[in-house]
């Protein structure tokens, strides 16, 4: 049975969608990568079809097939969370139901982007998606992409829904996180790698990471150190990860740079889909320096 305090596990990665050189989804590569992350990368969960999975350019049919492939590969030993959020409530409901039909263990539902709903609109949107299936829901609060933050009072009301159980936070407002944790039983997950330690220190239970593709065991060590109250060890682990954070999240686009990192490690990734572009040779050179500085042998 899942731990109610951390319903999606401790260490999850927002998994890339591997593509072949002709741009089609590489299902075998996705299964290989998922198995690597779970069996050798210390992950107890994966998010499929999230932003790092380039979901805006992956069709609904492709997303369903990809989710099925990952579930077949690791669904018996890891929590597989399906990205289901869009800026259209009806479309989000359709995606949520499709994910439930193929066996997803939970849903990640992002704040609707571009159309800038009010807080009342967010309540209606998230509630409708949560009502549409029996799956537990992780809200994704990321105003740098959505423009609209989920207000604390809105989160308090959403926490009353029996299936809204967690938040992936990329808002960067530790005051809001602290108030929400004080007023709800929502499980918080860090959705911004550079703030992993800070969010864990104020009460987050885990991470949904991008850099986890290449440093999953050290993220597990970070979470364990904070949970044990060993902040000296936690700071040391976090400090060792700073070059990796900088290389993957600091200068370029996350999906682009983590695909370059996976390629350097000989793991499935493939190219990005437009409008994303692949890292340049110069960017790859700097990335490799950062990864080595962060203790990743290449």
């Amino acid at each position: 049975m899942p731990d109610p305090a951390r319903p999606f596990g401790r260490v999850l990665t927002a998994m890339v969608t591997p593509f072949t050189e002709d741009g089609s989804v590489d299902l075998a590569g996705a299964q290989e990568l998922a198995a690597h992350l779970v069996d050798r990368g210390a992950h107890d969960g994966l998010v499929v079809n999230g932003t790092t999975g380039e979901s805006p350019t992956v069709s609904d049919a492709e997303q369903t097939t990809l989710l099925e492939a990952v579930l077949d590969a690791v669904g018996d030993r890891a929590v597989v969370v399906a990205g289901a959020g869009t800026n259209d409530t009806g479309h989000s409901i359709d995606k949520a139901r499709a994910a439930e039909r193929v066996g997803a263990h939970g849903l990640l539902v992002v704040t609707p982007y571009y159309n800038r709903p009010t807080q009342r609109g967010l309540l209606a949107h998230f509630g409708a998606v949560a009502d549409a299936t029996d799956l537990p829901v992780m809200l994704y609060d990321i105003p740098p992409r959505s423009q609209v933050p989920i207000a604390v009072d809105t989160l308090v009301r959403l926490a009353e829904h029996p299936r809204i159980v967690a938040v992936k936070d990329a808002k960067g407002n530790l005051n809001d996180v602290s108030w929400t944790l004080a007023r709800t039983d929502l499980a918080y997950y860090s959705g911004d790698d550079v703030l992993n330690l800070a969010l864990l220190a104020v009460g987050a239970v885990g991470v949904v990471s991008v850099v986890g593709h290449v440093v999953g065991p050290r993220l597990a060590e970070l979470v364990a150190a904070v949970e044990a109250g060993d902040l000296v060890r936690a700071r040391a682990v976090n400090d060792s990860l700073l070059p990796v954070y900088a290389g993957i999240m600091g200068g370029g686009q996350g999906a682009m740079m983590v695909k370059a990192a996976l390629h350097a490690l000989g793991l499935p990734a493939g190219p990005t889909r437009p409008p994303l572009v692949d890292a340049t040779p110069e960017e790859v050179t700097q990335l490799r320096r950062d990864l080595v500085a962060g203790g990743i042998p290449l």
Side-chain angles (χ1 to χ4, degrees), residues 36 56 126 168 179 188-189 200 231 265-266 272:
H36 170 85
F126 288 127
K168 177 185 175 184
W179 273 109
Y188 258 74
Y189 289 80
L200 290 166
L231 292 183
L265 292 167
T272 56

Side-chain angles (χ1 to χ4, degrees), residues 132-215:
T133 79
D134 291 325
L135 296 176
V137 172
M138 180 188 293
L139 307 177
Y140 188 9
D141 191 5
I142 182 166
R145 291 182 186 268
S146 68
Q147 288 295 302
V148 179
I150 311 174
V152 174
D153 286 344
T154 303
L155 286 163
V156 170
R157 292 182 63 185
L158 289 167
E160 297 170 1
H161 195 291
R163 285 184 293 281
I164 295 176
V165 298
V167 178
K168 177 185 175 184
D169 184 86
K171 185 159 55 182
N173 187 324
L174 296 179
N175 184 60
D176 278 7
V177 173
S178 298
W179 273 109
T180 305
L181 287 169
R183 296 175 63 190
T184 75
D185 58 0
L186 290 168
Y188 258 74
Y189 289 80
S190 173
D192 185 348
D193 278 310
V194 298
L195 291 179
N196 285 342
L197 175 57
L199 281 159
L200 290 166
V202 299
V205 299
V207 300
V208 179
S209 175
V210 176
V211 304
H213 283 91
V214 297
V215 290

Side-chain angles (χ1 to χ4, degrees), residues 15-18 25-35 46 66 69-70 73 268:
M15 199 178 92
V16 301
T17 299
V25 176
D26 180 3
L27 295 177
Q31 290 186 315
E32 180 185 343
L33 179 60
L46 298 173
L66 177 66
V70 173

Side-chain angles (χ1 to χ4, degrees), residues 227-239:
E227 189 173 54
D230 189 350
L231 292 183
V232 172
R233 179 59 186 158
R235 285 196 298 270
V237 174
N238 191 66
D239 287 352

